[in-house]
Amino acid sequence: MEDAVLGIVRLINSYLSDYVLIILLVGTGIFFTVRTGFVQVRFFGEGIKKTFGGLSLSGKKHKSGLSSFQALATAVAAQVGTGNIVGACGAILIGGPGAIFWMWIIAFFGMATIYAEAVLAQKTRVVHEDGTVSGGPVYYIKTAFKGRFGKFLAGFFAVAVILALGFMGAMVQSNSVSASVHTSFGIPVWVTGAVVALISLFIFNGGLQRVGSLTEKLVPVMAVLYIAGGIVLLICRAKYIPETFGMIFKYAFVPNAIIGGSIGYALKTAVSQGVKRGLFSNEAGMGSTPHAHAMANVKTPHEQGVVAMTGVFIDTFVVLTMTALVVISTLFTGDGILAGGLENVPEGVDKTNMAQLAFSSVFGNTAGDSFVTVCLTFFAFSTIIGWNLFGRINVRYLFGAKSDKIYTLLAVAFVFLGSVLSNDLVWELTDTFNQLMVIPNVIALAALSGMVVSEVRRAKDARKAQEGLRTEEEPAHEGMTVAEE
């Protein structure tokens, strides 16, 4: 039965990822890039300053919402997960090194998309009478489309989020962790799954403040650890770095030279893998991270918009690129086991162990396996936390706060279940619901693009005022009240 379901899901995903997703994501990214005048370029420096200017691993707790950095850390915790290691390896294994180039393209345009998502999440968020904040795509979807159509799209999105992130996505993360721990230490997958499930239960019950407090500490530490290990490896493989970049660019346009088959088939494979895995990694356009950005306590929506762009940059151009460089420079160059191409992949090589093989080729089997396992565990666990929060927000939207306990128990069960199911089926199911989330989200983004452009213009005016060209000040942003909604 598992094989039959896998075949059906793969058929659905082939149409979604090869056609629908490419058109929607690339189209939306280009649309907002042009409409905002390349916001990801003009305001990139501001985003970096706002993100790291007052960086602290122990920010103060807020009675409601999160600090801007806590919101970003929660978003990055969801973004930086197995997609940055296992997902990147899978894209390279199927689409060749050129798939990374298409991930970069998706991320560049995705920075404009995620700016729009964060801005709209801030503009349409709801501040309740007790001071708590609700926000996310369901709120800007209903703002874009009134009446039954808006409620339908918002409901469709909410269901897709709950299934994709709260349940299926958690399965992917626990599956990857369990497989990696089993490879490195021989621990049965069900044991690792049970431990991850129990720790998750503790975090889930802590609410938004516990999530924000944990992610602002965990995300910087795990990113620095992984990048440091990658830099050490790349120093050891320094002579292969030019060839590594050359392969990424070359095989982005002539992937058949390493994949095999016709140029049309190979190019479609490389592009679709780049888009699909790029979405899973940086989540721009998917509608997941706006839930975190809506909670940020900032003066203007623009402030969180530029911070959100930094999240995509860190996820793809830093962490994911590190994985790509490590894998390609060790496995595809010199005497690497995949230097002969992808038509005859050695037995035992798959997306779940490629990173371990890469690090082990330089650090040795024990150190390499252990390093990847530790990093992957940090990444996957942080993603489980972030995605569970996003799912919970939509469960509350559909069923109210009383549904929290049932949702938590189901989510924990899926965390455990993911550790013992087939890796391929878990990934394919997650891809399906991730891609379904995109459809209502980008429709609403396009409909509300005027609000995003207005925010960019106000930011430009504010910048001119600071430079002495204008003196008009912008009012502080507080979000909508329930009555205003």
Side-chain angles (χ1 to χ4, degrees):
M1 180 175 289
E2 189 171 308
D3 290 339
V5 173
L6 179 60
I8 295 171
V9 175
R10 277 179 171 167
L11 179 63
I12 294 172
N13 285 345
S14 66
Y15 286 99
L16 288 174
S17 61
D18 292 351
Y19 304 103
V20 177
L21 202 64
I22 291 176
I23 295 172
L24 289 179
L25 286 182
V26 176
T28 303
I30 293 174
F31 174 72
F32 277 105
T33 296
V34 174
R35 285 220 65 187
T36 60
F38 285 81
V39 65
Q40 68 269 57
V41 176
R42 291 192 299 158
F43 291 99
F44 178 74
E46 181 182 339
I48 293 294
K49 289 179 181 178
K50 289 189 178 297
T51 300
F52 299 107
L55 178 61
S56 171
L57 302 186
S58 57
K60 66 179 182 179
K61 291 186 177 180
H62 297 254
K63 293 182 179 180
S64 62
L66 302 169
S67 70
S68 180
F69 182 75
Q70 286 176 333
L72 175 66
T74 303
V76 173
Q79 291 169 308
V80 179
T82 57
N84 295 80
I85 299 180
V86 180
C89 291
I92 295 171
L93 189 61
I94 298 173
I100 300 302
F101 173 83
W102 298 110
M103 282 185 169
W104 290 342
I105 295 298
I106 283 294
F108 174 76
F109 290 116
M111 289 173 72
T113 304
I114 209 162
Y115 173 87
E117 290 180 297
V119 164
L120 292 176
Q122 278 282 318
K123 280 183 167 291
T124 60
R125 72 180 194 161
V126 175
V127 180
H128 299 282
E129 293 180 358
D130 61 358
T132 59
V133 179
S134 298
V138 290
Y139 293 92
Y140 59 69
I141 289 173
K142 288 172 61 180
T143 300
F145 305 103
K146 306 297 183 182
R148 292 183 179 179
F149 182 65
K151 289 182 179 179
F152 167 77
L153 276 186
F156 179 88
F157 176 87
V159 171
V161 169
I162 295 166
L163 294 175
L165 306 185
F167 299 152
M168 305 300 174
M171 291 171 67
V172 165
Q173 309 301 325
S174 64
N175 184 282
S176 297
V177 171
S178 300
S180 182
V181 170
H182 178 70
T183 300
S184 298
F185 308 114
I187 299 175
V189 293
W190 71 267
V191 174
T192 303
V195 172
V196 173
L198 289 174
I199 297 174
S200 299
L201 178 62
F202 171 74
I203 301 299
F204 295 166
N205 282 330
L208 178 64
Q209 301 307 318
R210 184 176 292 173
V211 171
S213 178
L214 178 66
T215 55
E216 74 174 346
K217 299 175 180 63
L218 181 61
V219 168
V221 172
M222 73 181 190
V224 169
L225 174 66
Y226 185 66
I227 292 168
I231 290 174
V232 172
L233 183 144
L234 292 178
I235 291 174
C236 296
R237 301 287 291 182
K239 67 178 182 179
Y240 295 106
I241 291 178
E243 182 182 352
T244 297
F245 278 102
M247 295 175 76
I248 291 174
F249 288 102
K250 174 184 177 181
Y251 295 131
F253 301 98
V254 287
N256 60 313
I258 195 168
I259 296 176
S262 67
I263 180 64
Y265 166 79
L267 187 58
K268 185 184 78 170
T269 301
V271 174
S272 65
Q273 283 297 312
V275 173
K276 180 165 62 175
R277 294 302 169 214
L279 170 67
F280 188 82
S281 175
N282 65 58
E283 302 182 30
M286 196 165 79
S288 52
T289 58
H291 296 96
H293 295 302
M295 304 296 166
N297 295 317
V298 290
K299 293 180 180 179
T300 68
H302 169 77
E303 287 186 19
Q304 198 60 26
V306 296
V307 168
M309 294 193 307
T310 307
V312 172
F313 180 83
I314 294 170
D315 172 87
T316 301
F317 291 103
V318 178
V319 181
L320 185 143
T321 297
M322 181 61 71
T323 298
L325 297 179
V326 164
V327 168
I328 298 171
S329 68
T330 55
L331 305 186
F332 287 82
T333 63
D335 58 353
I337 59 176
L338 297 174
L342 295 172
E343 292 185 271
N344 296 301
V345 177
E347 186 177 352
V349 177
D350 57 44
K351 63 176 178 281
T352 62
N353 67 3
M354 281 179 69
Q356 289 172 314
L357 292 172
F359 277 99
S360 295
S361 68
V362 175
F363 296 165
N365 290 337
T366 301
D369 286 354
S370 299
F371 176 77
V372 174
T373 298
V374 170
C375 292
L376 186 61
T377 300
F378 273 123
F379 286 2
F381 184 66
S382 70
T383 301
I384 289 173
I385 294 170
W387 281 358
N388 179 268
L389 173 63
F390 303 160
R392 184 183 306 278
I393 291 170
N394 286 275
V395 167
R396 287 186 173 185
Y397 168 77
L398 291 175
F399 308 111
K402 293 182 179 180
S403 60
D404 272 7
K405 291 184 179 179
I406 296 176
Y407 170 71
T408 296
L409 292 176
L410 286 174
V412 171
F414 273 92
V415 169
F416 174 76
L417 187 62
S419 66
V420 297
L421 281 183
S422 160
N423 180 274
D424 288 337
L425 178 59
V426 168
W427 275 88
E428 293 291 342
L429 283 171
T430 301
D431 283 341
T432 299
F433 290 105
N434 280 347
Q435 290 162 162
L436 289 176
M437 286 170 57
V438 172
I439 298 172
N441 185 56
V442 298
I443 291 174
L445 291 177
L448 297 175
S449 61
M451 293 174 64
V452 178
V453 174
S454 296
E455 191 65 25
V456 174
R457 289 173 179 166
R458 278 194 287 269
K460 287 173 59 181
D461 290 343
R463 175 181 287 183
K464 289 179 180 178
Q466 290 177 354
E467 294 171 352
L469 300 178
R470 293 189 58 179
T471 57
E472 182 180 351
E473 295 183 357
E474 292 298 314
H477 166 68
E478 299 293 342
M480 295 193 302
T481 64
V482 174
E484 289 172 332
E485 185 199 26

